Amino acid sequence: MKIILLQDIDKIGKKYEIKNVTSGFAKNFLIPKVMVKPATKEAILWAETQREIVSKKETKVLKEIQDLASRIDGKEITIPLKVGKKGQIFQSITSQKISEKLKEIGFNVKKSQIKLEEPLKEIGEFPVKISFEHNLEVEIIVIISKEK
């Protein structure tokens, strides 16, 4: 039986794809759970239209991510901290703090996108990777300096 997937289904396919499955599987499991619909001529046209809409949205999102990645790549951000008499700092820099600093200067980056193995705990310059969707990855420099 030919069906149109209404959602991604493991081992069967992606949303809006047209697939062949056994009629018993479709009628007894997939259709009652509203995971698929029968592939009539009208439904096939509808699915093709939906695929085009999704494709255009994905292309637009990819372009936005590429634009953000190109603007942020190699950027240096400075985070001033209070430093003790012996040069020790009293807080560590986490991905949350880096994310907040990036938002201050106009880059909307989630803390989950910032790849920091462990918090930064000393003064200096540190390369930090940021991973975006579509396997885009950039590197920024985080500078931790003495507060004046």
Side-chain angles (χ1 to χ4, degrees):
M1 175 176 196
K2 269 191 168 182
I3 54 159
I4 297 173
L5 302 177
L6 299 177
Q7 63 190 43
D8 292 352
I9 303 173
D10 288 341
K11 298 180 184 174
I12 296 178
K14 301 249 183 228
K15 189 173 186 178
Y16 304 125
E17 285 184 353
I18 300 167
K19 294 290 182 175
N20 276 318
V21 296
T22 60
S23 58
F25 183 53
K27 290 177 184 175
N28 296 324
F29 183 74
L30 297 173
I31 293 173
K33 291 194 175 217
V34 195
M35 299 169 88
V36 301
K37 67 194 238 178
T40 63
K41 286 182 181 180
E42 298 83 23
I44 291 172
L45 289 173
W46 170 82
E48 289 171 357
T49 305
Q50 295 303 314
R51 273 197 305 261
E52 286 177 26
I53 292 169
V54 168
S55 176
K56 286 179 184 176
K57 282 182 184 176
E58 286 177 353
T59 302
K60 182 181 175 190
V61 168
L62 176 60
K63 187 177 180 329
E64 289 171 357
I65 291 171
Q66 287 173 332
D67 181 49
L68 174 63
S70 67
R71 287 187 298 128
I72 201 170
D73 193 22
K75 199 75 141 159
E76 291 183 356
I77 62 168
T78 303
I79 302 175
L81 295 176
K82 289 184 180 178
V83 178
K85 292 179 182 175
K86 296 180 182 175
Q88 75 276 23
I89 61 174
F90 300 110
Q91 59 181 315
S92 57
I93 301 302
T94 61
S95 56
Q96 176 68 38
K97 288 191 188 287
I98 295 171
S99 174
E100 289 168 1
K101 190 68 173 179
L102 287 168
K103 284 182 181 154
E104 283 178 25
I105 59 174
F107 297 108
N108 191 14
V109 177
K110 299 175 194 141
K111 71 177 186 174
S112 61
Q113 294 173 313
I114 298 170
K115 302 303 173 201
L116 198 59
E117 290 183 25
E118 57 185 46
L120 306 174
K121 298 179 180 180
E122 56 190 58
I123 291 178
E125 293 185 14
F126 304 91
V128 176
K129 292 195 183 301
I130 300 175
S131 296
F132 295 102
E133 293 103 31
H134 302 287
N135 295 323
L136 290 174
E137 191 171 272
V138 297
E139 188 173 276
I140 63 170
I141 304 297
V142 176
I143 302 168
I144 301 175
S145 64
K146 290 182 183 179
E147 192 173 71
K148 295 179 179 162

Coordinates of all heavy atoms in Angstrom, one line a residue, residues 4-76:
I4 N 1.7 8.3 2.5 CA 2.5 9.5 2.7 C 2.8 9.7 4.2 O 1.8 9.6 5.0 CB 1.8 10.7 2.1 CG1 1.5 10.6 0.6 CG2 2.5 12.0 2.4 CD1 0.6 11.6 0.0
L5 N 4.0 9.8 4.5 CA 4.4 10.0 5.9 C 4.1 11.4 6.4 O 4.4 12.4 5.8 CB 5.9 9.7 6.1 CG 6.4 8.3 5.7 CD1 7.9 8.2 5.8 CD2 5.7 7.2 6.4
L6 N 3.4 11.4 7.5 CA 3.0 12.7 8.1 C 4.0 13.2 9.2 O 3.9 14.2 9.8 CB 1.6 12.7 8.7 CG 0.5 12.4 7.7 CD1 -0.8 12.2 8.4 CD2 0.5 13.4 6.6
Q7 N 5.0 12.3 9.5 CA 6.1 12.6 10.4 C 7.3 11.7 10.1 O 7.1 10.7 9.4 CB 5.6 12.4 11.9 CG 5.2 10.9 12.2 CD 4.5 10.8 13.5 OE1 3.7 11.6 13.8 NE2 4.9 9.8 14.2
D8 N 8.4 12.0 10.6 CA 9.6 11.1 10.5 C 9.3 9.8 11.3 O 8.9 9.9 12.4 CB 10.8 11.8 11.0 CG 11.3 13.0 10.2 OD1 10.7 13.2 9.1 OD2 12.2 13.7 10.6
I9 N 9.5 8.7 10.6 CA 9.3 7.4 11.2 C 10.6 6.6 11.0 O 11.0 6.4 9.9 CB 8.1 6.6 10.7 CG1 6.8 7.5 10.8 CG2 8.0 5.3 11.4 CD1 5.6 6.9 10.2
D10 N 11.2 6.1 12.2 CA 12.4 5.4 12.1 C 12.3 4.1 11.2 O 11.2 3.5 11.2 CB 12.9 4.9 13.5 CG 13.4 6.0 14.3 OD1 13.8 7.1 13.7 OD2 13.5 5.9 15.5
K11 N 13.3 3.9 10.4 CA 13.3 2.7 9.5 C 12.3 2.7 8.4 O 12.2 1.7 7.6 CB 13.2 1.4 10.3 CG 14.4 1.2 11.3 CD 14.3 0.0 12.1 CE 15.4 -0.1 13.1 NZ 15.3 -1.2 14.0
I12 N 11.5 3.8 8.3 CA 10.6 3.9 7.2 C 10.9 5.1 6.3 O 11.1 5.0 5.1 CB 9.1 4.0 7.7 CG1 8.7 2.7 8.4 CG2 8.2 4.2 6.5 CD1 7.3 2.7 9.0
G13 N 11.0 6.3 6.9 CA 11.3 7.4 6.1 C 11.1 8.8 6.8 O 10.7 8.8 7.9
K14 N 11.2 9.8 6.0 CA 11.1 11.2 6.5 C 9.7 11.7 6.2 O 9.0 11.2 5.3 CB 12.2 12.1 5.9 CG 13.6 11.7 6.2 CD 14.2 12.6 7.1 CE 15.6 12.3 7.3 NZ 16.0 12.3 8.7
K15 N 9.4 12.8 6.9 CA 8.1 13.5 6.7 C 7.8 13.8 5.2 O 8.7 14.3 4.6 CB 8.0 14.7 7.6 CG 6.7 15.4 7.7 CD 6.8 16.5 8.8 CE 5.4 17.1 9.0 NZ 5.4 18.1 10.0
Y16 N 6.6 13.6 4.7 CA 6.1 13.9 3.4 C 6.7 13.0 2.3 O 6.5 13.2 1.1 CB 6.3 15.4 3.0 CG 5.7 16.3 4.0 CD1 6.4 17.3 4.6 CD2 4.3 16.2 4.3 CE1 5.9 18.2 5.5 CE2 3.8 17.1 5.2 CZ 4.5 18.1 5.8 OH 4.0 19.0 6.7
E17 N 7.4 11.9 2.7 CA 7.9 11.0 1.7 C 6.8 10.0 1.3 O 5.9 9.7 2.2 CB 9.1 10.2 2.2 CG 10.4 11.0 2.2 CD 11.6 10.1 2.6 OE1 11.4 9.0 3.0 OE2 12.7 10.7 2.5
I18 N 6.8 9.5 0.1 CA 5.8 8.5 -0.3 C 6.5 7.1 -0.2 O 7.6 6.9 -0.8 CB 5.3 8.8 -1.7 CG1 4.7 10.1 -1.7 CG2 4.4 7.7 -2.2 CD1 4.4 10.7 -3.1
K19 N 5.9 6.2 0.5 CA 6.5 4.9 0.7 C 5.5 3.8 0.5 O 4.3 4.0 0.5 CB 7.0 4.7 2.2 CG 8.2 5.7 2.5 CD 9.4 5.3 1.8 CE 10.6 6.2 2.2 NZ 11.8 5.8 1.6
N20 N 6.0 2.6 0.2 CA 5.2 1.4 0.1 C 5.4 0.6 1.4 O 6.5 0.3 1.8 CB 5.7 0.5 -1.1 CG 5.0 1.0 -2.4 OD1 3.9 1.3 -2.4 ND2 5.8 1.0 -3.4
V21 N 4.3 0.2 2.1 CA 4.3 -0.6 3.2 C 3.2 -1.7 3.1 O 2.3 -1.5 2.2 CB 4.1 0.1 4.5 CG1 5.2 1.1 4.8 CG2 2.8 0.9 4.6
T22 N 3.2 -2.7 3.9 CA 2.2 -3.7 3.8 C 0.9 -3.1 4.2 O 0.8 -2.2 5.1 CB 2.5 -4.9 4.7 OG1 2.6 -4.5 6.1 CG2 3.7 -5.6 4.3
S23 N -0.2 -3.5 3.6 CA -1.5 -2.8 3.9 C -2.0 -3.1 5.3 O -2.6 -2.2 6.0 CB -2.6 -3.3 2.9 OG -2.7 -4.7 3.0
G24 N -1.6 -4.2 5.9 CA -2.0 -4.5 7.3 C -1.3 -3.6 8.2 O -1.9 -3.0 9.2
F25 N 0.0 -3.3 8.0 CA 0.7 -2.4 8.9 C 0.2 -1.0 8.8 O 0.0 -0.3 9.8 CB 2.2 -2.5 8.4 CG 3.1 -1.6 9.2 CD1 3.2 -1.7 10.6 CD2 4.0 -0.7 8.6 CE1 4.1 -0.9 11.4 CE2 4.9 0.1 9.4 CZ 4.9 0.0 10.7
A26 N -0.2 -0.6 7.5 CA -0.7 0.8 7.3 C -2.1 0.9 8.0 O -2.3 1.8 8.7 CB -0.8 1.1 5.9
K27 N -3.0 -0.1 7.7 CA -4.4 0.1 8.2 C -4.5 -0.2 9.7 O -5.4 0.4 10.3 CB -5.3 -0.9 7.4 CG -5.5 -0.6 6.0 CD -6.3 -1.6 5.3 CE -6.4 -1.3 3.8 NZ -7.1 -2.3 3.0
N28 N -3.7 -1.1 10.2 CA -3.9 -1.4 11.7 C -3.0 -0.6 12.6 O -3.3 -0.5 13.8 CB -3.5 -2.9 11.9 CG -4.5 -3.8 11.1 OD1 -5.7 -3.5 11.0 ND2 -4.0 -4.9 10.6
F29 N -1.9 0.0 12.1 CA -1.0 0.7 13.0 C -0.8 2.2 12.6 O -1.0 3.1 13.4 CB 0.3 0.0 13.1 CG 1.3 0.6 14.0 CD1 1.1 0.4 15.4 CD2 2.4 1.3 13.6 CE1 2.0 1.0 16.3 CE2 3.3 1.9 14.5 CZ 3.1 1.7 15.8
L30 N -0.3 2.4 11.4 CA 0.1 3.7 11.0 C -1.0 4.7 10.8 O -1.0 5.8 11.3 CB 1.0 3.7 9.7 CG 2.3 2.9 9.8 CD1 2.9 2.7 8.4 CD2 3.2 3.6 10.8
I31 N -2.1 4.3 10.1 CA -3.2 5.2 9.8 C -4.0 5.5 11.1 O -4.3 6.7 11.4 CB -4.1 4.6 8.7 CG1 -3.4 4.7 7.4 CG2 -5.4 5.5 8.6 CD1 -4.1 4.0 6.2
P32 N -4.3 4.5 12.0 CA -5.0 4.9 13.2 C -4.2 5.8 14.1 O -4.8 6.6 14.9 CB -5.2 3.5 13.9 CG -5.2 2.5 12.8 CD -4.2 3.1 11.8
K33 N -2.9 5.8 14.1 CA -2.1 6.6 14.9 C -1.8 8.0 14.2 O -1.0 8.8 14.7 CB -0.8 6.0 15.3 CG -1.0 4.8 16.3 CD 0.3 4.4 16.9 CE 0.0 3.3 17.9 NZ 0.8 3.4 19.0
V34 N -2.4 8.2 13.1 CA -2.2 9.4 12.3 C -0.8 9.7 12.0 O -0.3 10.8 12.1 CB -2.9 10.6 12.9 CG1 -3.1 11.8 11.9 CG2 -4.3 10.3 13.5
M35 N 0.0 8.7 11.6 CA 1.4 8.8 11.3 C 1.5 8.9 9.8 O 2.5 9.4 9.3 CB 2.2 7.6 11.8 CG 2.1 7.5 13.3 SD 2.8 5.9 13.9 CE 4.5 6.4 14.1
V36 N 0.5 8.4 9.0 CA 0.5 8.4 7.6 C -0.9 8.7 7.1 O -1.8 8.7 7.8 CB 1.1 7.1 7.0 CG1 2.4 6.8 7.5 CG2 0.1 5.9 7.4
K37 N -0.9 8.9 5.7 CA -2.2 8.9 5.1 C -2.1 8.2 3.7 O -1.0 8.2 3.2 CB -2.8 10.3 5.0 CG -2.0 11.3 4.1 CD -2.5 12.7 4.3 CE -3.0 13.4 3.2 NZ -3.5 14.7 3.5
P38 N -3.2 7.6 3.2 CA -3.1 6.9 1.9 C -2.6 7.9 0.8 O -3.0 9.1 0.8 CB -4.5 6.5 1.7 CG -5.1 6.4 3.1 CD -4.5 7.5 3.8
A39 N -1.8 7.4 -0.1 CA -1.3 8.2 -1.2 C -2.2 8.3 -2.4 O -2.0 7.6 -3.4 CB 0.1 7.7 -1.6
T40 N -3.2 9.1 -2.3 CA -4.1 9.4 -3.4 C -3.4 10.4 -4.3 O -2.4 11.1 -3.9 CB -5.5 9.9 -2.9 OG1 -5.3 11.2 -2.2 CG2 -6.1 8.9 -2.0
K41 N -4.0 10.7 -5.5 CA -3.4 11.7 -6.3 C -3.4 13.1 -5.7 O -2.4 13.8 -5.8 CB -4.2 11.8 -7.7 CG -4.0 10.6 -8.6 CD -4.7 10.8 -9.9 CE -4.5 9.5 -10.7 NZ -5.2 9.6 -12.0
E42 N -4.5 13.4 -5.0 CA -4.5 14.7 -4.3 C -3.5 14.8 -3.2 O -2.8 15.8 -3.0 CB -5.9 15.0 -3.8 CG -7.0 15.1 -4.8 CD -7.6 13.8 -5.3 OE1 -7.4 12.8 -4.5 OE2 -8.1 13.7 -6.4
A43 N -3.4 13.7 -2.5 CA -2.5 13.7 -1.3 C -1.0 13.8 -1.8 O -0.2 14.4 -1.1 CB -2.7 12.4 -0.5
I44 N -0.7 13.1 -2.9 CA 0.6 13.2 -3.5 C 1.0 14.6 -3.9 O 2.1 15.1 -3.6 CB 0.8 12.2 -4.7 CG1 0.7 10.8 -4.1 CG2 2.1 12.5 -5.4 CD1 0.7 9.7 -5.2
L45 N 0.0 15.3 -4.5 CA 0.3 16.7 -4.9 C 0.5 17.6 -3.6 O 1.4 18.5 -3.6 CB -0.9 17.3 -5.7 CG -1.0 16.7 -7.1 CD1 -2.3 17.3 -7.8 CD2 0.2 17.2 -7.9
W46 N -0.3 17.3 -2.6 CA -0.2 18.0 -1.3 C 1.2 17.8 -0.7 O 1.8 18.7 -0.2 CB -1.3 17.6 -0.4 CG -1.2 18.1 1.0 CD1 -1.5 19.3 1.5 CD2 -0.6 17.4 2.1 NE1 -1.2 19.4 2.8 CE2 -0.6 18.2 3.2 CE3 -0.1 16.1 2.3 CZ2 -0.2 17.8 4.5 CZ3 0.4 15.7 3.5 CH2 0.4 16.6 4.6
A47 N 1.6 16.5 -0.7 CA 2.9 16.2 -0.1 C 4.0 16.9 -0.9 O 5.0 17.4 -0.2 CB 3.1 14.7 -0.1
E48 N 4.0 16.9 -2.2 CA 5.0 17.6 -3.0 C 5.1 19.1 -2.6 O 6.1 19.7 -2.5 CB 4.8 17.4 -4.5 CG 5.1 16.0 -4.9 CD 4.6 15.7 -6.3 OE1 4.0 16.5 -7.0 OE2 4.9 14.5 -6.8
T49 N 3.9 19.7 -2.5 CA 3.8 21.1 -2.1 C 4.5 21.3 -0.7 O 5.2 22.3 -0.5 CB 2.4 21.6 -2.1 OG1 1.8 21.4 -3.4 CG2 2.3 23.1 -1.8
Q50 N 4.1 20.4 0.2 CA 4.7 20.5 1.6 C 6.2 20.4 1.6 O 6.9 21.1 2.3 CB 4.0 19.5 2.5 CG 2.6 19.7 2.7 CD 2.3 21.1 3.3 OE1 2.9 21.5 4.2 NE2 1.3 21.7 2.7
R51 N 6.7 19.4 0.7 CA 8.1 19.2 0.7 C 8.8 20.5 0.1 O 9.9 20.9 0.6 CB 8.5 18.1 -0.3 CG 8.5 16.7 0.5 CD 9.2 15.7 -0.3 NE 8.7 15.5 -1.7 CZ 7.8 14.5 -2.0 NH1 7.4 13.7 -1.1 NH2 7.4 14.4 -3.3
E52 N 8.2 21.2 -0.9 CA 8.8 22.4 -1.4 C 8.8 23.5 -0.4 O 9.8 24.2 -0.2 CB 8.0 22.9 -2.6 CG 8.2 22.1 -3.9 CD 7.3 22.6 -5.0 OE1 7.0 23.7 -5.0 OE2 7.0 21.7 -5.9
I53 N 7.8 23.6 0.4 CA 7.7 24.6 1.5 C 8.8 24.4 2.5 O 9.5 25.3 2.9 CB 6.3 24.7 2.1 CG1 5.3 25.2 1.1 CG2 6.3 25.5 3.4 CD1 3.8 25.0 1.6
V54 N 8.9 23.1 3.0 CA 9.9 22.8 3.9 C 11.3 23.0 3.4 O 12.2 23.6 4.1 CB 9.8 21.3 4.4 CG1 11.0 20.8 5.2 CG2 8.5 21.1 5.2
S55 N 11.5 22.7 2.1 CA 12.8 22.9 1.5 C 13.2 24.4 1.5 O 14.3 24.8 1.7 CB 12.8 22.3 0.1 OG 14.0 22.6 -0.6
K56 N 12.2 25.2 1.1 CA 12.5 26.7 1.1 C 12.8 27.2 2.5 O 13.7 28.0 2.6 CB 11.3 27.4 0.5 CG 11.2 27.3 -1.0 CD 9.9 28.0 -1.5 CE 9.8 27.7 -3.0 NZ 8.6 28.3 -3.5
K57 N 12.1 26.7 3.5 CA 12.4 27.2 4.9 C 13.8 26.7 5.3 O 14.5 27.5 5.9 CB 11.3 26.6 5.8 CG 10.0 27.3 5.9 CD 9.1 26.6 6.9 CE 7.7 27.2 6.8 NZ 6.8 26.6 7.8
E58 N 14.1 25.5 5.0 CA 15.5 25.0 5.4 C 16.6 25.7 4.7 O 17.6 26.0 5.3 CB 15.6 23.5 5.0 CG 14.8 22.6 6.0 CD 14.9 21.1 5.6 OE1 15.4 20.8 4.6 OE2 14.4 20.3 6.4
T59 N 16.3 26.1 3.4 CA 17.3 26.9 2.7 C 17.5 28.3 3.3 O 18.6 28.8 3.5 CB 16.9 27.1 1.2 OG1 16.7 25.8 0.6 CG2 17.9 27.8 0.4
K60 N 16.4 28.9 3.7 CA 16.4 30.2 4.4 C 17.2 30.1 5.7 O 18.0 30.9 6.0 CB 15.0 30.7 4.6 CG 15.0 32.1 5.2 CD 13.5 32.6 5.4 CE 13.5 33.9 6.1 NZ 12.2 34.3 6.6
V61 N 16.8 29.1 6.5 CA 17.5 28.9 7.8 C 19.0 28.7 7.6 O 19.8 29.2 8.3 CB 16.8 27.7 8.6 CG1 17.6 27.3 9.8 CG2 15.4 28.1 9.0
L62 N 19.4 27.8 6.6 CA 20.8 27.6 6.4 C 21.5 28.8 6.0 O 22.6 29.1 6.5 CB 20.9 26.5 5.3 CG 22.3 26.2 4.8 CD1 23.2 25.7 6.0 CD2 22.4 25.2 3.7
K63 N 20.9 29.7 5.2 CA 21.5 30.9 4.8 C 21.7 31.8 6.0 O 22.8 32.5 6.1 CB 20.7 31.6 3.7 CG 21.3 32.9 3.1 CD 20.5 33.5 2.1 CE 21.0 34.7 1.4 NZ 21.9 35.6 2.2
E64 N 20.7 31.9 6.9 CA 20.8 32.7 8.1 C 22.0 32.2 9.0 O 22.7 33.0 9.5 CB 19.5 32.7 8.8 CG 18.4 33.5 8.2 CD 17.1 33.4 8.8 OE1 16.9 32.6 9.8 OE2 16.1 34.0 8.3
I65 N 22.1 30.9 9.1 CA 23.1 30.3 10.0 C 24.5 30.6 9.4 O 25.4 30.9 10.1 CB 22.9 28.8 10.2 CG1 21.6 28.6 11.1 CG2 24.1 28.1 10.8 CD1 21.2 27.2 11.1
Q66 N 24.6 30.4 8.0 CA 25.9 30.7 7.4 C 26.3 32.2 7.5 O 27.5 32.5 7.8 CB 25.8 30.3 5.9 CG 25.8 28.9 5.6 CD 25.5 28.5 4.2 OE1 24.9 29.3 3.4 NE2 26.0 27.4 3.7
D67 N 25.3 33.1 7.5 CA 25.6 34.5 7.6 C 26.1 34.8 9.0 O 27.1 35.5 9.2 CB 24.3 35.3 7.3 CG 24.5 36.8 7.5 OD1 25.5 37.3 6.9 OD2 23.7 37.4 8.1
L68 N 25.4 34.2 10.1 CA 25.8 34.4 11.4 C 27.2 33.8 11.7 O 28.1 34.4 12.3 CB 24.8 33.7 12.4 CG 25.2 33.7 13.9 CD1 25.3 35.1 14.4 CD2 24.2 32.9 14.7
A69 N 27.4 32.6 11.1 CA 28.7 32.0 11.3 C 29.9 32.8 10.7 O 30.9 33.0 11.3 CB 28.7 30.6 10.7
S70 N 29.6 33.4 9.5 CA 30.7 34.1 8.9 C 30.9 35.4 9.6 O 32.1 35.9 9.7 CB 30.3 34.4 7.4 OG 29.2 35.3 7.3
R71 N 29.9 36.0 10.2 CA 30.1 37.3 11.0 C 30.8 37.0 12.3 O 31.5 37.9 12.8 CB 28.8 38.0 11.2 CG 28.2 38.6 10.0 CD 26.9 39.4 10.2 NE 25.9 38.6 10.8 CZ 25.2 38.9 11.9 NH1 25.5 40.0 12.6 NH2 24.2 38.1 12.3
I72 N 30.6 35.9 12.9 CA 31.1 35.6 14.2 C 32.5 34.9 14.2 O 33.2 35.0 15.2 CB 30.1 34.8 15.1 CG1 30.4 35.0 16.6 CG2 30.1 33.4 14.7 CD1 29.3 34.4 17.4
D73 N 32.8 34.3 13.1 CA 34.1 33.6 13.0 C 35.3 34.5 13.3 O 35.5 35.5 12.6 CB 34.2 32.9 11.6 CG 35.3 31.9 11.6 OD1 35.7 31.4 12.6 OD2 35.8 31.6 10.5
G74 N 36.2 34.1 14.2 CA 37.4 34.8 14.5 C 37.2 36.0 15.4 O 38.1 36.7 15.7
K75 N 35.9 36.3 15.8 CA 35.6 37.4 16.7 C 36.3 37.3 18.0 O 36.5 36.2 18.5 CB 34.1 37.4 16.9 CG 33.5 38.7 17.4 CD 33.5 39.7 16.2 CE 32.4 40.6 16.2 NZ 32.7 41.7 15.3
E76 N 36.7 38.4 18.6 CA 37.3 38.4 19.9 C 36.4 39.0 20.9 O 35.9 40.1 20.6 CB 38.7 39.1 19.9 CG 39.8 38.5 19.2 CD 41.1 39.2 19.3 OE1 41.1 40.3 19.9 OE2 42.1 38.7 18.7

